[in-house]
Amino acid sequence: MPKKQKTFESAYHQLEQLVQDFESGKFGLDESLKKYEEGLEIVIDLQKRLSQIGNKVQEIKKKFVGDIGDDIQ
Amino acid sequence: MTPYSVTEFLQAVNESLAADFGMVRVQGEISDWRVSGEKWIWFTLKDENSSMSCFMTLWQLKASDGRRISLEDGMEVKATGTVAVFNKSGKFTFKPQYIELVGEGTLKRQMEMVMKKLEQEGLFDKARKRALPQFPDHIGLITSKEAAAYSDFLKILNARWSTIRIDFYHTAVQGEGAVMDIVKAFEYFNRVEDKPQVLVLTRGGGSLEDLMAFNTEEVARAVYGSKTPVICAIGHERDINVAELVSDVRASTPSNAAELLIPDKRAVSHHLLSMARTLENSVVSQHTHYSMSLETYLSRLHRFFEFKTNEFQKLRQNLESLFIAFEEKIAYTRHSIDEKKKLLASLAPYEVLKRGYTITRDMTGKAVTSIKELQTSQEIKTVFIDGEIESKIYAQKTKNI
């Protein structure tokens, strides 16, 4: 099952590719309007994600790790 | 006095030594370092005045916390072990169980030895260094939660980006146990299923002794063996250490590590906007180009048709002129023909006159076509082919038809 949301990285790279394609004159007039819309949607989505706040720090519980580590030793 | 045998004597001496000294700690300089058969180590421990022979096995060559160390001539060390006299040679030999490095110089040498060894094995090779993802959303952090490095790193990270999942594995970053902690941390991250995309190994500045854990073979191999790319920021900018040389990316400080790890969201936001603008300009300029081309074609078509229309008009005018001229000509010709016909008609009687017929005219000149128009004694003219006579009528006779 596909991820419900593309990662930031893949969406960003897709956008960069679009810009490159435009600059190389790849699209005809009809297609370019469609692709432009696509590009705008990506920009809006990414800007939204950028405006989110907060990184999540989770500490690894040692004792869980310790047990397994001893087994491996 | 009953004499001992040599064996008995040496045994007694060794017992005495064990009883009186047991485990001792001796500090001195290493010289005549010699490894034989990759198992046995011989060296001399000395100070300015004295020296003693030392013997140990290669696997014994470790520090008190169990990590392996490398030694060479000239290093100052504290060796802890027992002392005995060897039976075969009677040689007084010190047998270290573990060694501590003494002094910055020694530590530095230790570090250089490890560096050289690992470099030769190819652990520093640029080719194997992996690229970090551009926008990681899941990272692993290995450091001490008491370290300034921990809060520095997180502070910069939080300022630059959001929505990152950070798996934090606390370790000691100096002293006993640091090496084992760090090695276990890397083992954990290699093992866990939901792996981060990058691992960050970091600690702040300190003396060479403080940083020694990061110059050990064990930590270096743990970094090298990490399945996940590692970014390493140990100590201050000018400090080089082994772990950093092995890692995929080296940062100068914990803050720098955060900078190398993730872009600043403000800069990215700017760039997104400029990309949107580029796209827009592209579309607009393409549209304008087509628009202008279209206009050009239209006006060319228009001119073409205008030109053709003018041509047509001219043609039409010419035809009209021709037609009029033609009509005139016909009229003229018809008129001319009429004239000629009249002329011909007027000339026709002379053919008749040639044959001997005459034309009779009255004195007014009018041609007479019937005798009824005439009376006796009237004067008439008679036209012959070659002239005319005048006469007077003296009798008429009607013709029986």
Side-chain angles (χ1 to χ4, degrees):
Chain A
M1 186 150 104
K3 269 190 163 166
K4 63 175 159 86
Q5 203 186 31
K6 262 199 156 120
T7 65
F8 191 99
E9 183 149 350
S10 58
Y12 192 83
H13 287 154
Q14 194 185 354
L15 182 63
E16 282 182 324
Q17 185 62 50
L18 261 179
V19 173
Q20 228 178 34
D21 287 345
F22 262 97
E23 283 176 341
S24 66
K26 184 174 169 194
F27 302 126
L29 198 56
D30 283 334
E31 213 187 346
S32 74
L33 286 173
K34 244 191 292 171
K35 291 286 175 182
Y36 173 58
E37 216 179 334
E38 235 179 74
L40 274 196
E41 277 172 18
I42 297 177
V43 171
I44 290 168
D45 175 44
L46 293 183
Q47 292 282 38
K48 251 196 249 164
R49 295 201 220 186
L50 281 181
S51 60
Q52 286 176 321
I53 312 174
N55 296 317
K56 186 163 166 230
V57 180
Q58 194 171 34
E59 183 170 350
I60 311 295
K61 290 302 161 213
K62 255 339 162 25
K63 39 184 191 335
F64 166 67
V65 170
D67 295 337
I68 301 185
D70 289 339
D71 288 343
I72 290 189
Q73 293 286 343
Chain B
M1 197 161 46
T2 325
Y4 288 96
S5 70
V6 177
T7 306
E8 282 168 350
F9 182 56
L10 288 185
Q11 195 174 340
V13 167
N14 277 329
E15 278 169 17
S16 196
L17 285 173
D20 288 340
F21 289 98
M23 283 282 239
V24 285
R25 211 152 158 235
V26 183
Q27 177 168 333
E29 186 187 309
I30 295 178
S31 70
D32 302 322
W33 179 270
R34 192 169 89 249
V35 180
S36 97
E38 288 188 33
K39 263 205 302 193
W40 318 115
I41 307 178
W42 300 93
F43 62 97
T44 302
L45 202 59
K46 66 178 189 187
D47 59 24
E48 306 88 52
N49 302 314
S50 318
S51 68
M52 75 176 167
S53 227
C54 301
F55 170 76
M56 63 196 297
T57 57
L58 197 53
W59 71 263
Q60 270 180 317
L61 189 60
K62 52 187 171 18
S64 58
D65 65 0
R67 61 183 160 88
R68 259 196 306 171
I69 52 180
S70 311
L71 296 178
E72 59 181 13
D73 288 356
M75 280 182 162
E76 185 80 9
V77 297
K78 288 180 200 149
T80 307
T82 57
V83 77
V85 177
F86 276 175
N87 279 30
K88 267 261 144 64
S89 59
K91 195 165 162 195
F92 180 83
T93 310
F94 180 55
K95 298 186 288 185
Q97 311 245 322
Y98 59 84
I99 312 266
E100 285 153 82
L101 300 168
V102 175
E104 179 119 346
T106 308
L107 292 175
K108 195 140 183 264
R109 295 264 290 278
Q110 166 77 187
M111 178 177 85
E112 282 162 8
M113 284 176 75
V114 171
M115 254 196 234
K116 193 156 145 217
K117 178 176 181 189
L118 297 181
E119 187 177 17
Q120 282 176 351
E121 280 184 43
L123 264 66
F124 300 166
D125 283 354
K126 281 206 160 65
R128 85 103 200 171
K129 294 195 192 295
R130 297 159 287 192
L132 305 181
Q134 199 181 3
F135 300 103
D137 54 27
H138 182 196
I139 68 170
L141 177 61
I142 304 172
T143 188
S144 162
K145 64 167 107 136
E146 282 114 36
Y150 176 76
S151 44
D152 282 350
F153 176 76
L154 284 179
K155 188 171 80 172
I156 304 293
L157 197 73
N158 290 334
R160 285 170 83 80
W161 206 262
S162 309
T163 72
I164 303 179
R165 241 178 80 202
I166 302 158
D167 292 343
F168 168 57
Y169 193 109
H170 167 77
T171 65
V173 288
Q174 65 185 59
E176 265 190 51
V179 173
M180 272 300 109
D181 272 0
I182 296 169
V183 170
K184 281 218 173 81
F186 278 98
E187 278 172 5
Y188 166 78
F189 283 114
N190 268 354
R191 214 168 40 234
V192 78
E193 237 181 71
D194 185 12
K195 284 186 172 51
Q197 297 157 299
V198 192
L199 292 180
V200 182
L201 176 66
T202 183
R203 68 148 283 156
S207 66
L208 187 53
E209 191 169 348
D210 291 338
L211 268 42
M212 246 352 241
F214 300 91
N215 285 320
T216 60
E217 230 180 290
E218 283 87 343
V219 167
R221 290 191 194 283
V223 171
Y224 187 74
S226 166
K227 294 181 186 157
T228 309
V230 179
I231 177 169
C232 216
I234 311 290
H236 296 128
E237 177 144 8
R238 50 183 171 71
D239 300 331
I240 312 172
N241 55 70
V242 179
E244 281 178 355
L245 292 171
V246 178
S247 66
D248 298 275
V249 176
R250 182 184 172 243
S252 54
T253 63
S255 304
N256 183 229
E259 285 164 12
L260 292 177
L261 191 64
I262 194 100
D264 188 327
K265 64 175 142 189
R266 285 161 295 190
V268 172
S269 177
H270 270 307
H271 194 221
L272 282 174
L273 284 176
S274 95
M275 279 200 277
R277 231 171 276 134
T278 303
L279 288 181
E280 184 178 323
N281 289 343
S282 244
V283 172
V284 167
S285 84
Q286 191 183 25
H287 187 258
T288 307
H289 170 78
Y290 273 113
S291 206
M292 277 172 33
S293 288
L294 211 58
E295 266 197 44
T296 308
Y297 287 131
L298 272 178
S299 74
R300 277 166 69 179
L301 264 173
H302 189 75
R303 279 207 307 279
F304 176 75
F305 277 118
E306 251 186 36
F307 179 72
K308 284 298 175 197
T309 307
N310 287 346
E311 292 255 299
F312 185 70
Q313 296 275 50
K314 263 197 265 168
L315 187 67
R316 194 172 147 192
Q317 272 167 3
N318 287 346
L319 281 176
E320 276 183 355
S321 304
L322 266 175
F323 190 67
I324 290 167
F326 188 62
E327 272 193 338
E328 278 174 11
K329 192 145 190 198
I330 287 178
Y332 177 78
T333 309
R334 205 177 272 149
H335 179 76
S336 179
I337 288 174
D338 278 348
E339 296 277 293
K340 293 223 160 62
K341 260 168 103 173
K342 272 200 205 131
L343 187 63
L344 189 68
S346 71
L347 285 179
Y350 287 97
E351 292 292 311
V352 177
L353 288 179
K354 254 212 270 195
R355 289 195 242 136
Y357 293 95
T358 60
I359 303 175
T360 307
R361 296 189 197 276
D362 66 19
M363 290 322 275
T364 68
K366 179 167 153 262
V368 178
T369 57
S370 157
I371 60 167
K372 294 196 175 108
E373 295 173 40
L374 298 173
Q375 304 169 319
T376 319
S377 302
Q378 188 174 341
E379 286 174 346
I380 55 171
K381 268 197 213 151
T382 307
V383 180
F384 287 80
I385 187 86
D386 53 0
E388 56 181 56
I389 56 170
E390 287 175 19
S391 52
K392 208 168 189 185
I393 299 173
Y394 85 95
Q396 283 179 44
K397 202 198 231 171
T398 317
K399 194 180 191 181
N400 295 335
I401 312 154

